[in-house]
Structure formats: structure tokens, C-alpha cells
Amino acid sequence: MYPSWLTKQAFDFHTQADSWWAASANNPELLAPRLEGDHRAEVAIIGAGYTGLNAALGLAGRHSMDTIVLDAGQPGWGASGRNGGFCSPGGAKLEYPEMVGRWGLETTRQFSQIQQQAIEYVGGLGDNPGIDYERTGTGEYIVSSGPDAHRDALAEAQWMNRSLGLAATALSQPELKERGLFSPLFTGAVHMPHGFGLHPLKYSQGLARAASEAGARIFGHSMVINWRQEGKEHVLETAAGRVRAQRVLLATNGYTPAGVGDPMASRILPVFSNILITRKLTRQELQGQGWLAPELVSDDRALLHYFRLLPDGRFLFGGRGGIGGERAEESAVRQRLEAEFRTLFPAWREVSFDYFWSGLVCMCRDLVFHVGRLPGRSSSWYGLAFHGGGVSMASWSGAALADMIVGCHDSRYPIPGPMLKPLPWMPLPALRPLYLRGAYTWYGLRERLQGNRLVTN
Ligand SMILES: Cc1cc2nc3c(=O)[nH]c(=O)nc-3n(C[C@H](O)[C@H](O)[C@H](O)COP(=O)(O)OP(=O)(O)OC[C@H]3O[C@@H](n4cnc5c(N)ncnc54)[C@H](O)[C@@H]3O)c2cc1C
């Protein structure tokens, strides 16, 4: 049912990821009841992450639709409860200049505008007293290394401001140091003013609470094992229950199973991302490294690292994971990430780590997210492939999908044309793990040849 090259542990829906977020959430396992018996709803949603929960909030709240959400784990069990908490421009792995080449400038501008609106949308949700997700920092820094990093950053910021109307700024190494973001390897950066950090599991649980208060019924530990149509009605079966619904939304992203998730399951590429969390760092240790700011930072490599100082003084450091996620591979990934961390932050060479976990992001062939009607099934929709940027964009897409499902024509959550096209086919889907291995090897090699000093593996 789930991709054969991925370890079964990645789909252990009864165990919550052993993450810092679970350890620090007020209510580590928000227990949504298990679906039992027969139920009816106008809309059934498969998956209670940001996509499914924001859709439920919109459907039950704005549109007063009778809505049921089913998750194989608890709300936020998937990537939504275990990510880096970067609420920043998301939804794509494609760079802006490549978007311009593919779609033209106007559509790229629209895309960058909805990236900003998606961040504001999540920011607005944080005003809801029930969604207390610990907002931190302002904007996002993309750091780079090398002798020309500052000059390149200046050119990039100018291009983005001129072409996309952004308010990006370029920073030199001394300027980064002044802002409390020092590593000897970061010789330049672009600062994007949009974005903030949040506690991803508290955000997921707050969303589940808000959607329930709006009237949605949310069920946990209720994996959909069969989806069939009887006339105009959809029937979703779990081990202990059944939901009959007029419309269905598939919101399972990197955890999409074959069968229930067809025909999209073979078009996506689930990819591991891993996170390390240090022990609490003292003020002296933070000053010793010159890292004092709570800002979102990632490096400019294709296989990027993402990192940020958390409110209690721990440091979050994330990067690419393995291919299949087996135990031996996970421990090699951990060693590599720890070594990379020590290279980037030499003053913290001796610092130990309290948490390490992984989760699945969802990629696809054209490197952008897609939402719309599910081909081959009537009155069904999907929202998938948010790449490494679903905190903002999966949330926005969930809100957009709520409007699409009820047929609202003047949605406040517009989606640009290329993202409304069907998720593209993946050629020979059985070869996906090989494609991924090839991509990792190629990007690593290319960055080495380019002399990128942030490449440590
Ligand atoms: C380690 C990591 C770090 C990341 N960091 C960031 C970041 O800092 N910023 C950012 O923007 N993005 C980040 N992402 C990506 C982001 O978390 C995702 O894009 C986003 O959470 C996707 O939300 P979703 O609701 O679409 O899917 P998910 O949150 O993955 O939810 C899918 C749900 O579907 C459920 N499901 C699967 N099969 C079934 C079934 N048969 N029946 C019922 N339920 C089912 C699963 O249990 C799961 O809860 C990160 C991802 C990972 C893994």
C-alpha cells in the first residue's frame, strides 16, 4: 500500500515521532476518537495535516458544510506535526528564474504573491486564541559561502525586487554578524522580509481544535483502507467504520498510499527530511558562536540545510535524509548532519543533541505543488506536493480547496494556473528511489565542482 522502498517504520501511525515538538507540546497526543460504525458527511477529508485541517476549517467554518476528517494517526501525525516550523515562501523546489523561463514573469509574480499571502494567512490564524503556535522571528535568510557570495546576493536581491516586487536585501558577513547570525562559512545572504517561525505541532493541534469548534468531526487512528463509489456517493472504509460522503478531498501528501491515493500515489516522490535538536545552549555559548537571533535561515544549496534558534535556547538543524529510512541509514544520516552542524558552527563542536527524527516531504516531477480535481474520480479533489514548503502553502491550499469544493468562484485564496494543472506523471514510477539517489549524487557533485564550501558530505 505504501511505497515498497520506504521502511515500514515511516508509516507507524500508532507512534508519534519522538520529536522536540511532541516533547514540548502542551498536549503531545491530541486524541481524536477512532471512527466506529457508519457515518455520513457532505465532505470527507483523508489526512489531518495542514492541508486537510485548513480545508476542514474553511468547509465547516466559512461554508457550513458537514465535514469529516480521517487520519491514520492523530492530527498532525505526518509532516505537519514534525517539520522545521519555517512559515516562509513555500510550495515549490523550482527557483524563481526557472519559473520565469517556464511560465513567464506575470505568473511567477502571481506565485510569489500567493507565497506572501499564504504566510499572512497563517499569521492571521495565529490571532485565534485556540491556535497558539509560538511565533518567532521576522523573514528568512538564505545564506551562501564563497568569495563572491555578497556580490551574488546583491544581484539576486536586485533581480527579485525589480522583477517580482519583493523587498529583499543583501547582507555581507559583518552585517550577518551584527544581526547575531554568524558562521565563518556564511559570507553573504539574502534576507526575504516575509516569514516567521512557529511550533508545528502546536499549530496542527490548534487547527484541529479550531476545525472541531467550527463543526468538523475529526477522527484519529482511522486509516482509510478502501475508497469506492456507489452511484454518486463515496464510501470510505476504515478498520472499524465507514463514511459515506458526497465529496472527498485527498490530503495525504508524502504519506499517500497506493489504492486509496490513486492515481496520484505513483506521481509523487516521498523524500525524507531529518531534524536534529541540540540541548539548551547557554547565553555564553550563543555569544561564543555569535548566533543570538531567532530568525529562519537556510543555505542556498539544492540539498539545503535549514536551521534556527528556538525560543528556549535549543538549536534546530535540518537537512536531507536518506532514501529508504531504515535504521542503519538513519544513523548514517545523523552522523552526517552532526558533522555538518559542527563544521558550520565550530564554537558548538562539543554540543550534544537531544532529539533526532525524520519525516516525509512530497515532491513531484515539475517541482511545484498541485491542487484540483482528482482525475478518474468524480466529485473528488486533492492537494499534494508542497515540497519542503508546506507550512504556509499547504495551509493556503487547504483554504483554497475548501472554496473549490463548494464551487466558490471568487475565492480569497487564488491558485495560479500551473498549480491547477494535474500533477504530472512520473515516468517509470518504480524507479523513483533510483532517481532520488541520482539527484543526490548529481547535486553533491555539482556543488563540489562549484567549490561550494557549505557542502560537507
Ligand atoms: C522533517 C521535515 C521538515 C520540514 N520542514 C518544513 C519547514 O520548516 N517549512 C515548511 O514550510 N515545510 C516543511 N516541511 C514540509 C511540510 O511539513 C509539509 O509540506 C506539510 O506539513 C504537508 O502538509 P499535509 O497536510 O499536506 O501533509 P501531512 O502533514 O504529511 O499529512 C498527511 C496525513 O495523511 C495521513 N494519511 C496517510 N494515509 C492515510 C490514510 N490511508 N487514511 C487516513 N489518513 C492517512 C497521515 O497520517 C498524515 O497525517 C517539512 C517536512 C518534514 C518531513
mmCIF file of all heavy atoms in Angstrom, residues 272-308:
data_model
loop_
_atom_site.group_PDB
_atom_site.id
_atom_site.type_symbol
_atom_site.label_atom_id
_atom_site.label_comp_id
_atom_site.label_asym_id
_atom_site.label_seq_id
_atom_site.Cartn_x
_atom_site.Cartn_y
_atom_site.Cartn_z
ATOM 1 N N PHE A 272 12.686 11.859 2.438
ATOM 2 C CA PHE A 272 12.932 12.104 3.864
ATOM 3 C C PHE A 272 13.667 13.415 4.103
ATOM 4 O O PHE A 272 14.624 13.746 3.389
ATOM 5 C CB PHE A 272 13.804 10.986 4.468
ATOM 6 C CG PHE A 272 13.040 9.729 4.742
ATOM 7 C CD1 PHE A 272 13.162 8.634 3.911
ATOM 8 C CD2 PHE A 272 12.185 9.661 5.834
ATOM 9 C CE1 PHE A 272 12.456 7.469 4.159
ATOM 10 C CE2 PHE A 272 11.464 8.499 6.092
ATOM 11 C CZ PHE A 272 11.600 7.402 5.249
ATOM 12 N N SER A 273 13.215 14.124 5.137
ATOM 13 C CA SER A 273 13.987 15.243 5.669
ATOM 14 C C SER A 273 14.183 14.933 7.154
ATOM 15 O O SER A 273 13.303 14.334 7.779
ATOM 16 C CB SER A 273 13.215 16.548 5.488
ATOM 17 O OG SER A 273 14.019 17.644 5.850
ATOM 18 N N ASN A 274 15.350 15.295 7.690
ATOM 19 C CA ASN A 274 15.664 14.931 9.084
ATOM 20 C C ASN A 274 16.019 16.163 9.903
ATOM 21 O O ASN A 274 16.593 17.117 9.372
ATOM 22 C CB ASN A 274 16.857 13.960 9.120
ATOM 23 C CG ASN A 274 16.473 12.583 8.622
ATOM 24 O OD1 ASN A 274 15.930 12.452 7.532
ATOM 25 N ND2 ASN A 274 16.753 11.562 9.407
ATOM 26 N N ILE A 275 15.740 16.102 11.183
ATOM 27 C CA ILE A 275 15.992 17.252 12.068
ATOM 28 C C ILE A 275 16.740 16.813 13.322
ATOM 29 O O ILE A 275 16.392 15.799 13.936
ATOM 30 C CB ILE A 275 14.658 17.930 12.448
ATOM 31 C CG1 ILE A 275 14.040 18.598 11.207
ATOM 32 C CG2 ILE A 275 14.844 18.952 13.571
ATOM 33 C CD1 ILE A 275 12.721 19.312 11.436
ATOM 34 N N LEU A 276 17.749 17.607 13.689
ATOM 35 C CA LEU A 276 18.476 17.444 14.954
ATOM 36 C C LEU A 276 18.126 18.621 15.853
ATOM 37 O O LEU A 276 18.005 19.750 15.369
ATOM 38 C CB LEU A 276 19.984 17.558 14.704
ATOM 39 C CG LEU A 276 20.762 16.372 14.188
ATOM 40 C CD1 LEU A 276 22.145 16.841 13.707
ATOM 41 C CD2 LEU A 276 20.920 15.315 15.283
ATOM 42 N N ILE A 277 18.013 18.367 17.148
ATOM 43 C CA ILE A 277 17.786 19.457 18.110
ATOM 44 C C ILE A 277 18.859 19.345 19.189
ATOM 45 O O ILE A 277 19.039 18.277 19.784
ATOM 46 C CB ILE A 277 16.396 19.347 18.783
ATOM 47 C CG1 ILE A 277 15.277 19.365 17.751
ATOM 48 C CG2 ILE A 277 16.211 20.419 19.857
ATOM 49 C CD1 ILE A 277 14.843 20.703 17.236
ATOM 50 N N THR A 278 19.555 20.438 19.434
ATOM 51 C CA THR A 278 20.618 20.407 20.450
ATOM 52 C C THR A 278 19.996 20.467 21.843
ATOM 53 O O THR A 278 18.823 20.789 22.005
ATOM 54 C CB THR A 278 21.552 21.628 20.339
ATOM 55 O OG1 THR A 278 20.796 22.809 20.673
ATOM 56 C CG2 THR A 278 22.131 21.766 18.945
ATOM 57 N N ARG A 279 20.824 20.232 22.827
ATOM 58 C CA ARG A 279 20.425 20.563 24.201
ATOM 59 C C ARG A 279 20.308 22.078 24.265
ATOM 60 O O ARG A 279 20.687 22.771 23.312
ATOM 61 C CB ARG A 279 21.470 20.042 25.182
ATOM 62 C CG ARG A 279 22.833 20.718 25.032
ATOM 63 C CD ARG A 279 23.675 20.526 26.274
ATOM 64 N NE ARG A 279 25.059 20.927 26.057
ATOM 65 C CZ ARG A 279 25.497 22.168 25.998
ATOM 66 N NH1 ARG A 279 24.657 23.188 26.101
ATOM 67 N NH2 ARG A 279 26.778 22.422 25.811
ATOM 68 N N LYS A 280 19.804 22.583 25.378
ATOM 69 C CA LYS A 280 19.689 24.037 25.541
ATOM 70 C C LYS A 280 21.066 24.650 25.534
ATOM 71 O O LYS A 280 21.973 24.154 26.223
ATOM 72 C CB LYS A 280 19.067 24.350 26.894
ATOM 73 C CG LYS A 280 17.600 24.533 26.868
ATOM 74 C CD LYS A 280 17.160 25.032 28.229
ATOM 75 C CE LYS A 280 15.670 24.964 28.339
ATOM 76 N NZ LYS A 280 15.181 25.470 29.592
ATOM 77 N N LEU A 281 21.249 25.726 24.795
ATOM 78 C CA LEU A 281 22.540 26.411 24.776
ATOM 79 C C LEU A 281 22.468 27.586 25.749
ATOM 80 O O LEU A 281 21.440 28.249 25.853
ATOM 81 C CB LEU A 281 22.823 26.919 23.355
ATOM 82 C CG LEU A 281 22.921 25.804 22.303
ATOM 83 C CD1 LEU A 281 22.775 26.356 20.890
ATOM 84 C CD2 LEU A 281 24.236 25.056 22.444
ATOM 85 N N THR A 282 23.589 27.812 26.456
ATOM 86 C CA THR A 282 23.600 28.935 27.408
ATOM 87 C C THR A 282 23.826 30.233 26.639
ATOM 88 O O THR A 282 24.277 30.229 25.489
ATOM 89 C CB THR A 282 24.747 28.779 28.422
ATOM 90 O OG1 THR A 282 25.983 28.838 27.697
ATOM 91 C CG2 THR A 282 24.661 27.451 29.179
ATOM 92 N N ARG A 283 23.557 31.332 27.295
ATOM 93 C CA ARG A 283 23.776 32.652 26.680
ATOM 94 C C ARG A 283 25.237 32.773 26.245
ATOM 95 O O ARG A 283 25.552 33.271 25.171
ATOM 96 C CB ARG A 283 23.418 33.714 27.735
ATOM 97 C CG ARG A 283 23.515 35.131 27.271
ATOM 98 C CD ARG A 283 22.193 35.557 26.647
ATOM 99 N NE ARG A 283 22.368 36.796 25.897
ATOM 100 C CZ ARG A 283 21.678 37.151 24.846
ATOM 101 N NH1 ARG A 283 20.757 36.364 24.359
ATOM 102 N NH2 ARG A 283 21.892 38.295 24.248
ATOM 103 N N GLN A 284 26.126 32.280 27.104
ATOM 104 C CA GLN A 284 27.570 32.358 26.810
ATOM 105 C C GLN A 284 27.909 31.548 25.540
ATOM 106 O O GLN A 284 28.682 31.997 24.703
ATOM 107 C CB GLN A 284 28.306 31.772 28.003
ATOM 108 C CG GLN A 284 29.656 32.358 28.228
ATOM 109 C CD GLN A 284 30.288 31.728 29.466
ATOM 110 O OE1 GLN A 284 29.725 30.827 30.107
ATOM 111 N NE2 GLN A 284 31.466 32.199 29.804
ATOM 112 N N GLU A 285 27.292 30.380 25.432
ATOM 113 C CA GLU A 285 27.549 29.545 24.242
ATOM 114 C C GLU A 285 27.018 30.224 22.974
ATOM 115 O O GLU A 285 27.648 30.178 21.923
ATOM 116 C CB GLU A 285 26.899 28.170 24.410
ATOM 117 C CG GLU A 285 27.658 27.266 25.360
ATOM 118 C CD GLU A 285 26.906 25.979 25.670
ATOM 119 O OE1 GLU A 285 25.671 26.002 25.794
ATOM 120 O OE2 GLU A 285 27.565 24.938 25.816
ATOM 121 N N LEU A 286 25.856 30.844 23.119
ATOM 122 C CA LEU A 286 25.281 31.528 21.951
ATOM 123 C C LEU A 286 26.198 32.676 21.537
ATOM 124 O O LEU A 286 26.500 32.863 20.351
ATOM 125 C CB LEU A 286 23.877 32.043 22.268
ATOM 126 C CG LEU A 286 22.827 30.964 22.563
ATOM 127 C CD1 LEU A 286 21.508 31.593 23.013
ATOM 128 C CD2 LEU A 286 22.577 30.094 21.340
ATOM 129 N N GLN A 287 26.673 33.435 22.540
ATOM 130 C CA GLN A 287 27.575 34.551 22.231
ATOM 131 C C GLN A 287 28.888 34.044 21.651
ATOM 132 O O GLN A 287 29.453 34.645 20.742
ATOM 133 C CB GLN A 287 27.823 35.391 23.484
ATOM 134 C CG GLN A 287 26.697 36.384 23.686
ATOM 135 C CD GLN A 287 26.644 36.982 25.079
ATOM 136 O OE1 GLN A 287 27.264 36.462 26.019
ATOM 137 N NE2 GLN A 287 25.884 38.051 25.231
ATOM 138 N N GLY A 288 29.348 32.906 22.156
ATOM 139 C CA GLY A 288 30.609 32.323 21.682
ATOM 140 C C GLY A 288 30.571 32.029 20.188
ATOM 141 O O GLY A 288 31.556 32.191 19.474
ATOM 142 N N GLN A 289 29.418 31.607 19.698
ATOM 143 C CA GLN A 289 29.279 31.327 18.260
ATOM 144 C C GLN A 289 28.846 32.580 17.486
ATOM 145 O O GLN A 289 29.001 32.649 16.271
ATOM 146 C CB GLN A 289 28.263 30.198 18.050
ATOM 147 C CG GLN A 289 27.920 29.873 16.609
ATOM 148 C CD GLN A 289 29.144 29.536 15.763
ATOM 149 O OE1 GLN A 289 29.934 28.651 16.113
ATOM 150 N NE2 GLN A 289 29.332 30.257 14.656
ATOM 151 N N GLY A 290 28.295 33.562 18.200
ATOM 152 C CA GLY A 290 27.789 34.761 17.509
ATOM 153 C C GLY A 290 26.420 34.527 16.911
ATOM 154 O O GLY A 290 26.045 35.138 15.911
ATOM 155 N N TRP A 291 25.672 33.589 17.509
ATOM 156 C CA TRP A 291 24.343 33.284 16.990
ATOM 157 C C TRP A 291 23.322 33.563 18.094
ATOM 158 O O TRP A 291 23.172 32.791 19.026
ATOM 159 C CB TRP A 291 24.245 31.824 16.561
ATOM 160 C CG TRP A 291 23.097 31.635 15.618
ATOM 161 C CD1 TRP A 291 21.772 31.552 15.933
ATOM 162 C CD2 TRP A 291 23.169 31.549 14.191
ATOM 163 N NE1 TRP A 291 21.023 31.431 14.794
ATOM 164 C CE2 TRP A 291 21.847 31.426 13.713
ATOM 165 C CE3 TRP A 291 24.216 31.574 13.271
ATOM 166 C CZ2 TRP A 291 21.549 31.313 12.357
ATOM 167 C CZ3 TRP A 291 23.916 31.461 11.924
ATOM 168 C CH2 TRP A 291 22.588 31.330 11.474
ATOM 169 N N LEU A 292 22.608 34.664 17.953
ATOM 170 C CA LEU A 292 21.698 35.073 19.027
ATOM 171 C C LEU A 292 20.279 35.321 18.543
ATOM 172 O O LEU A 292 19.373 35.511 19.341
ATOM 173 C CB LEU A 292 22.237 36.371 19.661
ATOM 174 C CG LEU A 292 23.595 36.179 20.340
ATOM 175 C CD1 LEU A 292 24.501 37.371 20.118
ATOM 176 C CD2 LEU A 292 23.405 35.914 21.816
ATOM 177 N N ALA A 293 20.082 35.359 17.232
ATOM 178 C CA ALA A 293 18.780 35.769 16.698
ATOM 179 C C ALA A 293 17.889 34.554 16.418
ATOM 180 O O ALA A 293 18.387 33.498 16.038
ATOM 181 C CB ALA A 293 18.991 36.570 15.416
ATOM 182 N N PRO A 294 16.586 34.727 16.576
ATOM 183 C CA PRO A 294 15.643 33.600 16.383
ATOM 184 C C PRO A 294 15.174 33.478 14.939
ATOM 185 O O PRO A 294 14.102 32.946 14.690
ATOM 186 C CB PRO A 294 14.464 34.017 17.271
ATOM 187 C CG PRO A 294 14.435 35.505 17.158
ATOM 188 C CD PRO A 294 15.873 35.959 16.991
ATOM 189 N N GLU A 295 15.968 33.958 13.983
ATOM 190 C CA GLU A 295 15.479 34.044 12.598
ATOM 191 C C GLU A 295 15.551 32.690 11.877
ATOM 192 O O GLU A 295 16.328 31.815 12.231
ATOM 193 C CB GLU A 295 16.316 35.057 11.808
ATOM 194 C CG GLU A 295 16.467 36.402 12.480
ATOM 195 C CD GLU A 295 15.147 37.121 12.728
ATOM 196 O OE1 GLU A 295 14.129 36.723 12.125
ATOM 197 O OE2 GLU A 295 15.133 38.059 13.536
ATOM 198 N N LEU A 296 14.749 32.590 10.818
ATOM 199 C CA LEU A 296 14.779 31.403 9.953
ATOM 200 C C LEU A 296 15.963 31.542 9.003
ATOM 201 O O LEU A 296 16.121 32.582 8.364
ATOM 202 C CB LEU A 296 13.510 31.339 9.105
ATOM 203 C CG LEU A 296 12.172 31.432 9.817
ATOM 204 C CD1 LEU A 296 11.035 31.372 8.788
ATOM 205 C CD2 LEU A 296 12.028 30.296 10.816
ATOM 206 N N VAL A 297 16.774 30.500 8.906
ATOM 207 C CA VAL A 297 17.924 30.551 7.997
ATOM 208 C C VAL A 297 18.017 29.232 7.234
ATOM 209 O O VAL A 297 17.822 28.155 7.814
ATOM 210 C CB VAL A 297 19.251 30.776 8.770
ATOM 211 C CG1 VAL A 297 20.412 30.966 7.795
ATOM 212 C CG2 VAL A 297 19.158 31.976 9.702
ATOM 213 N N SER A 298 18.284 29.338 5.938
ATOM 214 C CA SER A 298 18.637 28.119 5.209
ATOM 215 C C SER A 298 19.785 28.473 4.283
ATOM 216 O O SER A 298 20.019 29.647 3.999
ATOM 217 C CB SER A 298 17.448 27.567 4.428
ATOM 218 O OG SER A 298 16.960 28.537 3.565
ATOM 219 N N ASP A 299 20.528 27.452 3.841
ATOM 220 C CA ASP A 299 21.607 27.783 2.915
ATOM 221 C C ASP A 299 21.099 27.649 1.488
ATOM 222 O O ASP A 299 20.000 27.145 1.244
ATOM 223 C CB ASP A 299 22.914 27.035 3.228
ATOM 224 C CG ASP A 299 22.779 25.536 3.217
ATOM 225 O OD1 ASP A 299 22.108 25.029 2.310
ATOM 226 O OD2 ASP A 299 23.366 24.870 4.100
ATOM 227 N N ASP A 300 21.889 28.137 0.547
ATOM 228 C CA ASP A 300 21.383 28.276 -0.820
ATOM 229 C C ASP A 300 21.686 27.063 -1.691
ATOM 230 O O ASP A 300 21.611 27.140 -2.902
ATOM 231 C CB ASP A 300 21.964 29.543 -1.469
ATOM 232 C CG ASP A 300 23.473 29.429 -1.690
ATOM 233 O OD1 ASP A 300 24.104 28.523 -1.108
ATOM 234 O OD2 ASP A 300 24.023 30.245 -2.450
ATOM 235 N N ARG A 301 22.016 25.933 -1.057
ATOM 236 C CA ARG A 301 22.316 24.739 -1.852
ATOM 237 C C ARG A 301 21.027 24.045 -2.281
ATOM 238 O O ARG A 301 19.980 24.229 -1.656
ATOM 239 C CB ARG A 301 23.135 23.753 -1.015
ATOM 240 C CG ARG A 301 24.393 24.331 -0.444
ATOM 241 C CD ARG A 301 24.930 23.426 0.649
ATOM 242 N NE ARG A 301 24.975 22.049 0.178
ATOM 243 C CZ ARG A 301 24.545 21.026 0.897
ATOM 244 N NH1 ARG A 301 24.060 21.190 2.090
ATOM 245 N NH2 ARG A 301 24.620 19.807 0.408
ATOM 246 N N ALA A 302 21.114 23.221 -3.331
ATOM 247 C CA ALA A 302 19.940 22.439 -3.735
ATOM 248 C C ALA A 302 19.552 21.488 -2.596
ATOM 249 O O ALA A 302 18.377 21.345 -2.264
ATOM 250 C CB ALA A 302 20.260 21.652 -5.001
ATOM 251 N N LEU A 303 20.544 20.846 -1.973
ATOM 252 C CA LEU A 303 20.285 19.935 -0.854
ATOM 253 C C LEU A 303 20.520 20.730 0.422
ATOM 254 O O LEU A 303 21.522 20.555 1.112
ATOM 255 C CB LEU A 303 21.216 18.726 -0.927
ATOM 256 C CG LEU A 303 21.219 17.992 -2.269
ATOM 257 C CD1 LEU A 303 22.252 16.872 -2.277
ATOM 258 C CD2 LEU A 303 19.837 17.413 -2.569
ATOM 259 N N LEU A 304 19.611 21.608 0.707
ATOM 260 C CA LEU A 304 19.884 22.638 1.710
ATOM 261 C C LEU A 304 19.831 22.139 3.159
ATOM 262 O O LEU A 304 19.222 21.115 3.465
ATOM 263 C CB LEU A 304 18.910 23.808 1.536
ATOM 264 C CG LEU A 304 17.407 23.533 1.549
ATOM 265 C CD1 LEU A 304 16.867 23.401 2.959
ATOM 266 C CD2 LEU A 304 16.685 24.652 0.841
ATOM 267 N N HIS A 305 20.499 22.928 4.031
ATOM 268 C CA HIS A 305 20.297 22.818 5.472
ATOM 269 C C HIS A 305 19.336 23.921 5.865
ATOM 270 O O HIS A 305 19.363 25.003 5.272
ATOM 271 C CB HIS A 305 21.606 23.084 6.235
ATOM 272 C CG HIS A 305 22.701 22.139 5.912
ATOM 273 N ND1 HIS A 305 23.836 22.506 5.223
ATOM 274 C CD2 HIS A 305 22.849 20.834 6.200
ATOM 275 C CE1 HIS A 305 24.629 21.463 5.092
ATOM 276 N NE2 HIS A 305 24.056 20.431 5.671
ATOM 277 N N TYR A 306 18.506 23.684 6.873
ATOM 278 C CA TYR A 306 17.660 24.751 7.413
ATOM 279 C C TYR A 306 17.852 24.757 8.923
ATOM 280 O O TYR A 306 17.996 23.699 9.537
ATOM 281 C CB TYR A 306 16.187 24.561 7.018
ATOM 282 C CG TYR A 306 15.625 23.172 7.230
ATOM 283 C CD1 TYR A 306 14.905 22.860 8.391
ATOM 284 C CD2 TYR A 306 15.808 22.168 6.281
ATOM 285 C CE1 TYR A 306 14.370 21.586 8.590
ATOM 286 C CE2 TYR A 306 15.282 20.896 6.477
ATOM 287 C CZ TYR A 306 14.573 20.605 7.626
ATOM 288 O OH TYR A 306 14.067 19.343 7.816
ATOM 289 N N PHE A 307 17.910 25.940 9.515
ATOM 290 C CA PHE A 307 18.223 25.994 10.943
ATOM 291 C C PHE A 307 17.685 27.249 11.596
ATOM 292 O O PHE A 307 17.478 28.271 10.933
ATOM 293 C CB PHE A 307 19.732 25.868 11.183
ATOM 294 C CG PHE A 307 20.609 26.501 10.138
ATOM 295 C CD1 PHE A 307 21.063 27.801 10.300
ATOM 296 C CD2 PHE A 307 20.961 25.804 8.987
ATOM 297 C CE1 PHE A 307 21.870 28.388 9.340
ATOM 298 C CE2 PHE A 307 21.754 26.395 8.013
ATOM 299 C CZ PHE A 307 22.212 27.681 8.185
ATOM 300 N N ARG A 308 17.477 27.132 12.917
ATOM 301 C CA ARG A 308 17.008 28.304 13.661
ATOM 302 C C ARG A 308 17.159 28.063 15.150
ATOM 303 O O ARG A 308 17.105 26.915 15.611
ATOM 304 C CB ARG A 308 15.558 28.631 13.304
ATOM 305 C CG ARG A 308 14.523 27.594 13.712
ATOM 306 C CD ARG A 308 13.163 27.990 13.150
ATOM 307 N NE ARG A 308 12.083 27.126 13.537
ATOM 308 C CZ ARG A 308 11.136 27.437 14.436
ATOM 309 N NH1 ARG A 308 11.161 28.584 15.060
ATOM 310 N NH2 ARG A 308 10.166 26.588 14.699
#
